[in-house]
Amino acid sequence: MQGIPGQLRSAIAAAAPTPRTWPVGVCGGVPAEVLAEVQAGLAGQHAEQSGAQPGPRLPMRAVDAADQQELLRHGEIAFGIVRLPLPASGLLRAVVWDEPLGIVLHSGHPLAGRSHLGWDDLAGQRLLWYDDGCAPGYADSVPAQLAALGWHAELFPMDQDQHALFVHALQTTADLVGLRPRRAVQGAAQLLWRPLPTPRPPRERLAVTALADSHPARVLRRAAAQRDWHLPA
């Protein structure tokens, strides 16, 4: 459709039938409440546009952030959920979760009895962290921010798709701590959360992505406006 005027292309796209499914690729460790928010936001846009007609399904599956852009370009997924920053171009991003990070300890950790931790306490701790494929950009930027604050953490990379493996690693390694937003571990009986010793801690920002100028991108823009999701410049 390269030779078709822009207004005509828009009319053709508007008349095209809505896809029956909008597959969503999800990076590791995304809280269930974020998935529920994305589901509600994207599905709600179809309901507004089509009235009583049944909307498309949004099947979600685990996909490393490093692989999502290629799958978006090939149409294998319509949307992705990633951590920012993400070194990728040609994507629309809408931030649905923006929370400060803090230290996660297992209840049996030697530091579990302390309500506040200092940089000296953390100096001897390894950090259970994401690998580059799971969170490119984010996996490098957060340790760099921690180093600038005074904690040059030795990283312990692992696949964090499964919460049970995250808990097991913290439980079985005495000098290991995690780094998550407080809301991500609330209700986990075996885990404790402690703030980082700084007024400006690194943050976890989770965003929904879609190919720029695509039909899913238009759906995402409408959802962002309705749900107050931030669209970074």
Side-chain angles (χ1 to χ4, degrees):
M1 301 197 335
Q2 292 298 323
I4 301 176
Q7 288 184 336
L8 182 55
R9 288 204 306 271
S10 298
I12 293 172
T18 301
R20 300 184 71 86
T21 61
W22 289 340
V24 182
V26 183
C27 68
V30 175
E33 65 187 284
V34 172
L35 301 184
E37 171 67 9
V38 172
Q39 173 82 27
L42 297 179
Q45 289 312 300
H46 177 82
E48 283 200 355
Q49 296 296 313
S50 62
Q53 296 180 15
R57 296 184 304 108
L58 281 88
M60 298 188 182
R61 62 186 175 96
V63 179
D64 280 351
D67 299 328
Q68 288 190 21
Q69 187 173 22
E70 182 177 358
L71 296 182
L72 286 167
R73 292 192 185 282
H74 287 85
E76 295 185 43
I77 58 175
F79 302 96
I81 301 178
V82 299
R83 285 178 178 78
L84 299 182
L86 178 71
S89 60
L91 298 180
L92 176 69
R93 299 166 170 85
V95 178
V96 300
W97 166 278
D98 187 344
E99 297 283 336
L101 291 166
I103 298 298
V104 180
L105 306 167
H106 192 271
S107 57
H109 191 282
L111 297 175
R114 304 190 186 186
S115 58
H116 291 85
L117 301 174
W119 296 121
D120 289 343
D121 297 318
L122 297 173
Q125 302 298 310
R126 288 183 291 168
L127 176 60
L128 182 59
W129 199 230
Y130 301 89
D131 58 33
D132 290 338
C134 180
Y138 179 84
D140 294 328
S141 65
V142 170
Q145 293 176 63
L146 293 174
L149 291 168
W151 183 25
H152 298 267
E154 179 185 347
L155 302 183
F156 188 95
M158 69 167 286
D159 181 351
Q160 299 198 33
D161 274 350
Q162 297 187 37
H163 181 71
L165 293 179
F166 176 79
V167 174
H168 178 75
L170 294 176
Q171 181 181 24
T172 56
T173 310
D175 63 345
L176 192 64
V177 299
L179 197 65
R180 294 277 177 89
R182 186 171 193 162
R183 287 171 58 193
V185 296
Q186 282 181 334
Q190 297 174 296
L191 300 181
L192 305 172
W193 189 91
R194 299 291 183 263
L196 282 162
T198 173
R200 300 186 64 182
R203 303 181 72 86
E204 181 180 72
R205 295 192 302 153
L206 294 170
V208 184
T209 66
L211 282 182
D213 300 321
S214 65
H215 175 64
R218 293 190 290 275
V219 172
L220 181 54
R221 283 190 182 278
R222 292 196 300 265
Q226 184 185 66
R227 312 283 294 191
D228 200 25
W229 298 344
H230 173 59
L231 297 173

